[in-house]
Amino acid sequence: MKLFPYAHATHPRWDMAAGLVLAQLRAQMSLHGYAANPTLALLYITDPYVSQAQEILAYLSAELPEVTDWSGTVGVGIASNNVEYFDEPAMAVMLCELPSDQYRVFSGVAPLGMAFEAHTALVHADPHTVDMTELVDEMAARTDSGYLFGGLSSSRGKTVQFAVAGDGNVKGQGAASGVFSGGLSGVAFGPGINLVSRVTQGCLPLAGAHQITAAQHNVVLGLDGEPALEVLLRELNVSLDQPREALHAVRATLAGLTERGAQAGVAGDAPTITRTGNFGSDVLVRHIIGLDPARLGIALASPVKEGMELAFCQRNVQAARADLRRVCAEIREELEPQELALESATALAASEAEAAPHPARGIAGAIYVSCSGRGGEHFGGPSAELQIIRHALGDVPLVGFFAGGEIARNHLYGYTGVLTVFT
């Protein structure tokens, strides 16, 4: 698989940004080792461009007639190799050269047909869609692997998704423009497309994990047989006798949930807290939305039930940075053979100044979906999160967006990053 051409730009005028993106893409398509005949494009825009989404798609489609399929969405921030764009109008595009029988663009109005054998799928979802958790689970069940990756669109206003296939429209949409809101959209990939994906967590547990022993709807009443609120206050070292201090501490705290045995032997047996003291990849972080002093309970922004495991946590910059490096190292370890050819070893050992996307890295392109609450200053400065990926993974074609919720496997996460590479 050849390297995927990619580009990104920011400009108050969308047409100027699009022109810069096209210039970068065309320059790369002329280089040795890059895909010259891509058919699938991934397009991500920041929310200042939402009102021009249709014009952007129409212009890029006309200028890249060889690209027949488009997918993407909007984010409050978008990502590309080594850079993040927040609070500014920007776009990022990656062009993928894949066998036409190994992928399908889908949307809510044009669902994935039974005739296509989906192994995994990139999913973009409207956060305002009801029963989102059930829709994600149902979509995962449509794939052989049960693995999805992607996230919820994020915007300060309207959210949009891009879904165009073959003749300029997703089959079933009639004269639809390819820009729409609601439901799920994305790209399903067949078994012939090799992908490696990892989830990185951004929170650090305060103590050990507890078993939920009493619960009602979204209220945790008992942890390990003790009143849940008493456990929380003990771990935070605060008291309701000092309500201001207690409220401040609770507001900075979240809850990591794991449904034990949910996927026995695969995901449900993964530890809530790893040997290094970090969350496992199956932990779903949820907000604490209220306290119930009368019943000594804790209300979460998610349904809970007895038997689940819960660990209180807080966002932690150092833990997030370390875990991001870990998943990048795992991906590199999986892709790099024990013995490397001289060309490969030279490319991988290049200094940052000399580094450039190279087939020897074994990565044609990458997609990174991160929580909008993780970007920017949470990692220590502008673009710090993407700079960590570049330093750890190497210089590879990469695009993505900052989401209102991240999707991996059949789960809807929060405060995580989902890194997926085409090998």
Side-chain angles (χ1 to χ4, degrees):
M1 189 179 293
K2 295 183 178 180
L3 292 169
F4 295 162
Y6 74 105
H8 52 92
T10 176
H11 198 280
R13 289 177 49 183
W14 71 263
D15 55 335
M16 295 297 291
L20 293 170
V21 163
L22 287 169
Q24 296 171 58
L25 293 173
R26 287 166 176 159
Q28 290 178 23
M29 291 169 69
S30 66
L31 295 176
H32 175 72
Y34 280 84
N37 299 291
T39 56
L40 170 66
L42 302 178
L43 168 61
Y44 297 107
I45 62 173
T46 55
D47 50 3
Y49 281 155
V50 164
S51 60
Q52 293 88 36
Q54 181 56 62
E55 290 91 334
I56 292 171
L57 180 60
Y59 178 75
L60 293 175
S61 299
E63 292 293 321
L64 296 168
E66 65 271 37
V67 177
T68 57
D69 304 273
W70 292 78
S71 182
T73 191
V74 60
V76 294
I78 62 171
S80 193
N81 181 27
N82 212 40
V83 65
E84 304 165 9
Y85 294 100
F86 275 93
D87 300 318
E88 57 185 329
M91 66 179 70
V93 178
M94 186 161 69
L95 305 181
C96 311
E97 187 174 293
L98 304 172
S100 59
D101 63 342
Q102 289 296 313
Y103 74 89
R104 291 289 185 277
V105 174
F106 65 90
S107 77
V109 296
L112 190 63
M114 296 297 295
F116 183 73
E117 181 183 354
H119 184 69
T120 185
L122 166 64
V123 174
H124 308 120
D126 189 319
H128 305 296
T129 302
V130 296
D131 299 326
M132 178 56 68
T133 301
E134 289 76 8
L135 287 174
V136 169
D137 193 57
E138 181 181 328
M139 183 66 201
R142 294 287 311 278
T143 67
D144 292 340
S145 66
Y147 192 97
L148 306 179
F149 61 98
L152 306 185
S153 308
S154 63
S155 174
R156 297 168 182 86
K158 180 182 178 182
T159 62
V160 296
Q161 299 170 47
F162 301 104
V164 177
D167 59 356
N169 300 292
V170 173
K171 185 178 180 182
Q173 285 187 210
S177 65
V179 179
F180 62 96
S181 300
L184 306 179
S185 70
V187 186
F189 299 101
I193 305 299
N194 295 319
L195 298 165
V196 177
S197 187
R198 292 290 187 275
V199 177
T200 175
Q201 300 276 4
C203 296
L204 191 67
L206 296 178
H210 308 280
Q211 184 178 31
I212 298 177
T213 51
Q216 184 178 20
H217 304 302
N218 67 320
V219 180
V220 181
L221 298 172
L223 293 172
D224 299 331
E226 294 185 73
L229 183 55
E230 290 184 1
V231 176
L232 172 62
L233 295 176
R234 183 172 67 241
E235 293 191 359
L236 294 177
N237 195 28
V238 295
S239 170
L240 291 181
D241 295 334
Q242 297 175 309
R244 181 173 298 180
E245 290 78 3
L247 184 60
H248 178 75
V250 170
R251 283 177 172 170
T253 305
L254 305 110
L257 296 170
T258 309
E259 187 166 358
R260 308 310 301 164
Q263 294 174 316
V266 181
D269 291 342
T272 298
I273 301 175
T274 66
R275 288 180 294 177
T276 59
N278 298 308
F279 274 145
S281 60
D282 293 319
V283 175
L284 308 179
V285 176
R286 297 294 185 258
H287 284 286
I288 296 175
I289 60 174
L291 304 179
D292 187 344
R295 296 187 294 172
L296 297 178
I298 304 164
L300 305 182
S302 177
V304 291
K305 57 186 178 182
E306 295 179 12
M308 298 177 75
E309 286 191 358
L310 181 150
F312 297 111
C313 60
Q314 293 178 338
R315 295 175 62 193
N316 184 281
V317 175
Q318 295 306 317
R321 293 170 69 94
D323 201 54
L324 184 54
R325 294 190 188 99
R326 176 189 63 80
V327 299
C328 290
E330 286 184 0
I331 290 174
R332 286 192 60 168
E333 183 177 356
E334 183 164 339
L335 298 182
E336 294 174 9
Q338 292 184 347
E339 295 184 3
L340 293 174
L342 179 61
E343 179 188 16
S344 300
T346 301
L348 294 171
S351 67
E352 284 199 25
E354 299 171 321
H358 195 288
R361 298 184 189 280
I363 298 175
I367 300 171
Y368 187 56
V369 180
S370 184
C371 177
S372 57
R374 284 166 55 100
E377 298 300 325
H378 180 60
F379 276 81
S383 300
E385 187 172 4
L386 271 296
Q387 289 168 5
I388 290 171
I389 293 177
R390 181 179 185 270
H391 181 76
L393 195 62
D395 203 358
V396 300
L398 182 150
V399 297
F401 70 105
F402 290 86
E406 304 75 61
I407 297 170
R409 302 182 183 86
N410 62 336
H411 297 322
L412 184 59
Y413 288 85
Y415 299 103
T416 62
V418 182
L419 178 60
T420 306
V421 302
F422 294 83
T423 69

